[in-house]
Amino acid sequence: MEKRVSNTQFKALIITGVVGVGVLSLPSSIARIANNDGWISIVMGGAISALLMYLMVSLAQMHPGKVVFEYARELLGNFGFYIFAVIYIIYFMMVLAVEVRVFAEVIKVFLLENTPIEVIIISMLVTSMWIGRYKIEVVARIALLMYTVLFIIIIFGVIAVFPQLDFTNIFPLFQTNLKTIIGGVRETFFSYLGIDFVLVSLAYLEEPKEAMHYSMRAILSVTILYVFAFVLTISTFGVSELKRQVWPTIALVREVDFPGFFLENIDGIIMAAWVLIIYGNIGPTAYNSTLVLSNIFKTKEHGLYVLPLVPIVYFISLFPQNLYEVYKNMLIPNILGFIITIIFPILLFILSKIKGRRTK
Amino acid sequence: MKRIIILFLIISIALLSGCWDMEEINNRSYVSVIGMDLNNKGDNGEKFKVTYSYPNINALGKNPSSEQNRFIETTSASTAYEATRKLSTSTDKPLFFKNLKTLVIGEELFKEKELVKEILDGLGREQRINRKINILLAEGKAEDILKITPEKETASAVGTYLSDILRNDKITGRFTARTLSQVLADTDISDAALVPKIKIEKKDLEISGGGIIKDYKLIGKIGEMENICIAMMNGDFNSDVIEATYNDTHISYAVTIFSSSKRVYVEGGKIIADIDLNIEGYLQQYKLDKELQAFDEKFLQGAEKSLEDRIKRETLNTIELLQKKYNADVIGIGEWISKFKPSLWKEIKDNYDEVFPNIEIRVNPTVEIRRTGLSR
């Protein structure tokens, strides 16, 4: 297998794969559980993700040049592999559906009020899932591009909101007990989903030995981004108003108002850039899901599965009747994500250790 | 096949291109001020009387084609949003709220707790309205305020007149501009907020002082001096002129740098709040005399002392008013306790209304006269 992904692209792939629509609602959903100490939950969630990442990278390094679905079949046998592959595919469908639905809801509220949500969803799905047709290097290049966009938005956003921050709103610190904070960690889980992509992308890495270093840096960046989002929103709104918000991160941008009519109502610009970030988030997930399918059916080409997936994701995404149900139904991808990102890698890791010892 | 695709593309040009869905800027009504009043007649459950003011775009620019520079529409409705829809039957252009700057709420309406809650919730939910809009309390009816055409208003700033005055709170402490998000944040923590007050003064508009909002309703109004004191204790104060008497002569003192800090502690079972006010500025006016006056240590110290006394007296009066008369914590003591003394806050937060009037608040102003102007 060719080595086609550079380390920087690898890092960008992880970041864009993890940062999706979760960051929009994360600060308020955490504040609802852990109040002012939500950032501790975010940091703990990041630490757990780093541990999982360590496990996954070591697992992938044990099987150089192989994608997870290939060695999973060897380790688990055909039957076991099919069970996991089915869970995988359902999980990807659910994640894609949630992503695109929340994305469409946000776009409908802020940008395209009169456009039917179906149109927003289908046009986003068709354009972004198209990335899934291409090879990994294309996905990686797009990831790097979107990563740059994300970076620019963050810097621009932080500068724009800075004058109005009241950092005393972060206080009081350490008032929540450990149990609640751990409850908050569970809430951050959806926002950290997507790290499992290393199991695929690492196989194509130019220098797989460096992978650990870059993946840790990626997780660190994501954690810092989330902590930033939390601190900035809580400093702007205060904890009670933060809890009331559906999408505090966008509400934050709507607070921007520089004197003299110079800069206000910039939510449109940020929303437009936001489209690109979600684009970069859906792309790798779509690539992943087609890869699973091509491994199930043992086809060489994976691109042909994209088109059939679009209507399926479309229907799943339209299943919730309202925004409340969208967020309520997030439990399903969360449970599946738990299996995919925690149970599955641990199982594979143990099996490959046993197998490795046997072959010695 | 190829021909069919080409044909399809050509036809789609006819459907997709062009501006069939366009909205020209001069065909929109950019509402700049909304006024809300209580509808006294109250027929059909229409509790609100909503007034919109928007500039007449045809009257702006170099060669105005119209004389009247703004339009005012009034309607009664059961919610503010119903009013918008109702007005669309009588206005030719759609109302557009992205540039809304100010919301003026009438005094009577502000006294109705449930209605104020409805308004605040509606504003927080509405994505078309900026959260940075200013909230103003109208002395009298908001409708009357909107109908006044200020003489100083130039055509270029139609409708932004109110928000432009509100920006002056950088150079005065006589009122403190409050945006929607600030009012929401204030009411969340201590259940009390202060909004600036507007009134008609000799056919012109004047913003001064404020109204105290407690438990989502207006409970009282305060004047300019009280507002300066509250702004000082909150740290919202930027600059103003303070006057005091020294040796039977008026001293005018301009504040240039201001900072304040709070500290709350329990001593002998009593909650004590220390508020330090650090004021720096220069002497603006004293009294012309042949002998040197201002360059004198005794004079400076004496003048500083008398200014400190004045500030202390006024702030203590204001605190007395807030604690005993209104029982409204608009000076952020509850907020400070909840942030920095969370264990104390847990004990008192449930009956803070009984605790607040009994907090001993000490004010320690420090006035420094850094410069004395151009004369010695």
Side-chain angles (χ1 to χ4, degrees):
Chain A
M1 198 172 286
E2 284 175 68
K3 313 279 185 190
R4 294 171 301 205
V5 179
S6 79
N7 281 323
T8 323
Q9 284 174 337
F10 175 66
K11 186 178 140 197
L13 257 179
I14 298 170
I15 292 175
T16 53
V18 174
V19 178
V21 293
V23 68
L24 291 185
S25 54
L26 178 73
S28 68
S29 55
I30 285 210
R32 244 170 264 141
I33 294 173
N35 291 320
N36 293 46
D37 290 333
W39 60 274
I40 303 175
S41 303
I42 296 175
V43 172
M44 281 171 80
I48 292 169
S49 307
L51 267 178
L52 289 171
M53 186 66 105
Y54 180 83
L55 187 80
M56 286 184 204
V57 173
S58 340
L59 174 65
Q61 279 170 339
M62 275 185 222
H63 306 272
K66 272 185 187 168
V67 173
V68 61
F69 311 116
E70 290 165 356
Y71 55 80
R73 196 189 278 271
E74 291 166 21
L75 291 170
L76 296 166
N78 264 339
F79 185 68
F81 169 71
Y82 284 133
I83 290 173
F84 269 109
V86 168
I87 295 173
Y88 246 111
I89 200 75
I90 296 171
Y91 161 70
F92 284 135
M93 296 294 97
M94 295 297 290
V95 168
L96 280 173
V98 170
E99 291 273 327
V100 80
R101 175 66 185 260
V102 175
F103 167 80
E105 296 278 356
V106 172
I107 290 292
K108 186 161 171 67
V109 168
F110 290 102
L111 284 183
L112 309 169
E113 283 166 39
N114 301 325
T115 314
I117 194 157
E118 291 84 356
V119 175
I120 305 175
I121 289 179
I122 204 93
S123 49
M124 186 65 190
L125 268 183
V126 170
T127 45
S128 59
M129 284 186 69
W130 201 255
I131 307 173
R133 282 182 57 87
Y134 292 97
K135 290 188 176 125
I136 183 90
E137 65 256 42
V138 181
V139 183
R141 257 181 257 143
I142 287 171
L144 193 61
L145 203 68
M146 299 310 159
Y147 167 68
T148 324
V149 172
L150 180 71
F151 207 68
I152 293 168
I153 290 184
I154 292 166
I155 291 174
F156 178 70
V158 168
I159 292 171
V161 298
F162 211 80
Q164 62 187 6
L165 297 182
D166 175 10
F167 284 111
T168 60
N169 280 340
I170 304 166
F171 293 103
L173 298 173
F174 309 114
Q175 289 302 306
T176 325
N177 57 25
L178 197 66
K179 210 178 150 193
T180 340
I181 288 176
I182 289 169
V185 173
R186 219 175 54 202
E187 196 66 36
T188 62
F189 194 67
F190 183 81
S191 303
Y192 283 110
L193 283 183
I195 51 173
D196 50 290
F197 196 40
V198 285
L199 289 178
V200 174
S201 55
L202 202 122
Y204 303 98
L205 209 58
E206 278 168 357
E207 293 158 76
K209 275 177 194 161
E210 296 275 297
M212 189 66 86
H213 177 65
Y214 278 90
S215 56
M216 287 303 149
R217 266 170 59 179
I219 282 292
L220 187 69
S221 312
V222 173
T223 313
I224 289 172
L225 169 69
Y226 287 167
V227 171
F228 249 74
F230 184 79
V231 170
L232 292 183
T233 47
I234 204 169
S235 313
T236 312
F237 299 116
V239 74
S240 328
E241 178 65 12
L242 176 59
K243 284 182 196 171
R244 229 177 283 148
Q245 299 287 334
V246 184
W247 298 306
T249 320
I250 304 176
L252 183 71
V253 179
R254 278 163 40 77
E255 291 274 321
V256 173
D257 183 19
F258 284 156
F261 307 110
F262 158 59
L263 202 60
E264 55 178 15
N265 296 331
I266 59 166
D267 40 331
I269 304 168
I270 297 284
M271 291 312 302
W274 179 250
V275 174
L276 294 176
I277 293 173
I278 299 302
Y279 187 77
N281 186 252
I282 292 179
T285 319
Y287 175 84
N288 241 358
S289 41
T290 55
L291 208 64
V292 184
L293 284 173
S294 79
N295 269 288
I296 293 176
F297 299 114
K298 293 182 182 163
T299 47
K300 270 187 183 169
E301 195 54 51
H302 68 92
L304 60 128
Y305 298 106
V306 169
L307 217 51
L309 283 181
V310 172
I312 300 172
V313 175
Y314 172 72
F315 282 117
I316 301 174
S317 71
L318 284 179
F319 193 68
Q321 291 297 309
N322 49 37
L323 194 64
Y324 165 71
E325 276 186 21
V326 174
Y327 278 103
K328 207 178 73 180
N329 289 352
M330 257 194 193
L331 192 67
I332 305 166
N334 266 344
I335 293 168
L336 294 174
F338 184 80
I339 300 172
I340 296 299
T341 46
I342 298 178
I343 297 176
F344 188 51
I346 290 176
L347 187 69
L348 286 186
F349 189 79
I350 295 168
L351 284 175
S352 5
K353 274 273 183 227
I354 294 168
K355 205 181 164 212
R357 212 163 272 169
R358 226 179 262 160
T359 45
K360 262 177 201 170
Chain B
M1 187 62 194
K2 213 170 186 179
R3 273 183 200 163
I4 295 170
I5 291 173
I6 289 171
L7 197 69
F8 175 75
L9 288 176
I10 290 172
I11 293 169
S12 64
I13 289 173
L15 289 172
L16 292 175
S17 63
C19 307
W20 54 273
D21 204 14
M22 69 173 175
E23 258 184 88
E24 289 287 354
I25 197 160
N26 52 2
N27 285 332
R28 267 179 173 176
S29 300
Y30 291 90
V31 178
S32 51
V33 191
I34 295 183
M36 293 182 94
D37 282 309
L38 194 66
N39 188 11
N40 286 327
K41 288 161 196 154
D43 37 323
N44 319 328
E46 291 178 337
K47 293 163 286 184
F48 297 103
K49 198 167 183 195
V50 187
T51 313
Y52 294 93
S53 161
Y54 51 91
N56 178 7
I57 295 190
N58 292 331
L60 304 179
K62 272 181 183 164
N63 301 309
S65 55
S66 174
E67 280 287 304
Q68 192 185 3
N69 59 6
R70 61 170 166 177
F71 296 119
I72 290 168
E73 300 276 352
T74 305
T75 185
S76 54
S78 48
T79 65
Y81 301 101
E82 199 207 334
T84 317
R85 308 284 155 160
K86 254 180 116 172
L87 270 183
S88 59
T89 59
S90 62
T91 51
D92 55 338
K93 295 159 187 167
L95 297 174
F96 191 72
F97 292 98
K98 262 270 147 102
N99 297 65
L100 180 69
K101 285 271 176 273
T102 318
L103 172 71
V104 185
I105 300 180
E107 201 176 336
E108 276 177 56
L109 176 58
F110 232 137
K111 284 177 183 156
E112 303 285 324
K113 180 180 169 183
E114 297 303 317
L115 297 183
V116 172
K117 275 182 164 178
E118 283 175 23
I119 295 173
L120 289 180
D121 183 78
L123 289 173
R125 255 175 229 288
E126 178 59 57
Q127 75 271 13
R128 282 182 224 100
I129 292 178
N130 197 309
R131 289 176 59 89
K132 285 282 173 189
I133 59 166
N134 292 299
I135 309 272
L136 274 173
L137 162 72
E139 211 162 75
K141 278 195 172 299
E143 192 188 340
D144 301 335
I145 304 269
L146 261 66
K147 282 185 176 158
I148 292 276
T149 313
E151 285 171 11
K152 286 156 252 169
E153 185 176 75
T154 53
S156 60
V158 174
T160 59
Y161 186 68
L162 291 180
S163 51
D164 287 347
I165 305 180
L166 283 168
R167 239 171 228 153
N168 284 345
D169 77 338
K170 297 252 177 334
I171 54 166
T172 180
R174 281 151 217 270
F175 62 84
T176 313
R178 275 282 176 254
T179 64
L180 171 65
S181 52
Q182 283 169 325
V183 171
L184 287 174
D186 288 348
T187 49
D188 273 338
I189 294 178
S190 47
D191 225 6
L194 195 66
V195 290
K197 187 179 69 178
I198 184 164
K199 64 178 175 196
I200 302 169
E201 188 78 35
K202 291 173 202 147
K203 289 191 172 180
D204 218 336
L205 297 173
E206 182 188 293
I207 302 177
S208 76
I212 296 174
I213 314 297
K214 182 159 189 213
D215 199 19
Y216 302 102
K217 65 171 188 266
L218 182 72
I219 55 162
K221 288 182 277 190
I222 54 160
E224 292 184 344
M225 197 62 220
E226 286 91 4
N227 197 74
I228 290 182
C229 296
I230 292 172
M232 276 186 169
M233 288 185 274
N234 271 335
D236 290 332
F237 184 82
N238 286 306
S239 161
D240 208 324
V241 171
I242 297 169
E243 275 161 24
T245 320
Y246 175 66
N247 280 349
D248 298 329
T249 312
H250 263 297
I251 312 170
S252 227
Y253 170 77
V255 181
T256 50
I257 298 175
F258 177 85
S259 69
S260 78
S261 61
K262 283 192 196 79
R263 210 160 60 87
V264 185
Y265 51 92
V266 184
E267 207 176 77
K270 209 165 169 11
I271 302 170
I272 296 167
D274 263 339
I275 303 179
D276 293 332
L277 309 173
N278 301 309
I279 306 159
E280 287 181 32
Y282 59 92
L283 188 69
Q284 253 190 343
Q285 185 186 310
Y286 181 45
K287 193 170 65 176
L288 193 67
D289 206 346
K290 281 185 183 140
E291 285 162 40
L292 295 178
Q293 311 156 337
F295 269 31
D296 177 31
E297 198 168 317
K298 216 178 101 204
F299 164 77
L300 287 175
Q301 277 170 0
E304 282 171 359
K305 183 78 179 41
S306 56
L307 283 164
E308 279 167 12
D309 286 346
R310 169 95 206 276
I311 292 167
K312 192 163 184 170
R313 205 169 58 238
E314 296 288 352
T315 40
L316 288 178
N317 283 344
T318 311
I319 288 166
E320 172 91 17
L321 193 72
L322 291 175
Q323 282 188 316
K324 298 289 169 330
K325 192 173 170 198
Y326 297 125
N327 189 10
D329 179 14
V330 289
I331 49 178
I333 296 204
E335 187 187 342
W336 197 94
I337 300 174
S338 74
K339 278 174 184 169
F340 301 104
K341 288 267 162 69
S343 49
L344 177 64
W345 182 244
K346 254 177 214 156
E347 287 170 30
I348 61 171
K349 75 172 171 192
D350 292 327
N351 51 351
Y352 189 62
D353 277 352
E354 283 122 62
V355 175
F356 177 66
N358 298 319
I359 294 176
E360 193 184 330
I361 303 172
R362 296 172 183 164
V363 184
N364 319 306
T366 337
V367 174
E368 305 270 3
I369 301 179
R370 294 283 185 210
R371 279 157 291 275
T372 62
L374 292 178
S375 13
R376 286 166 72 92

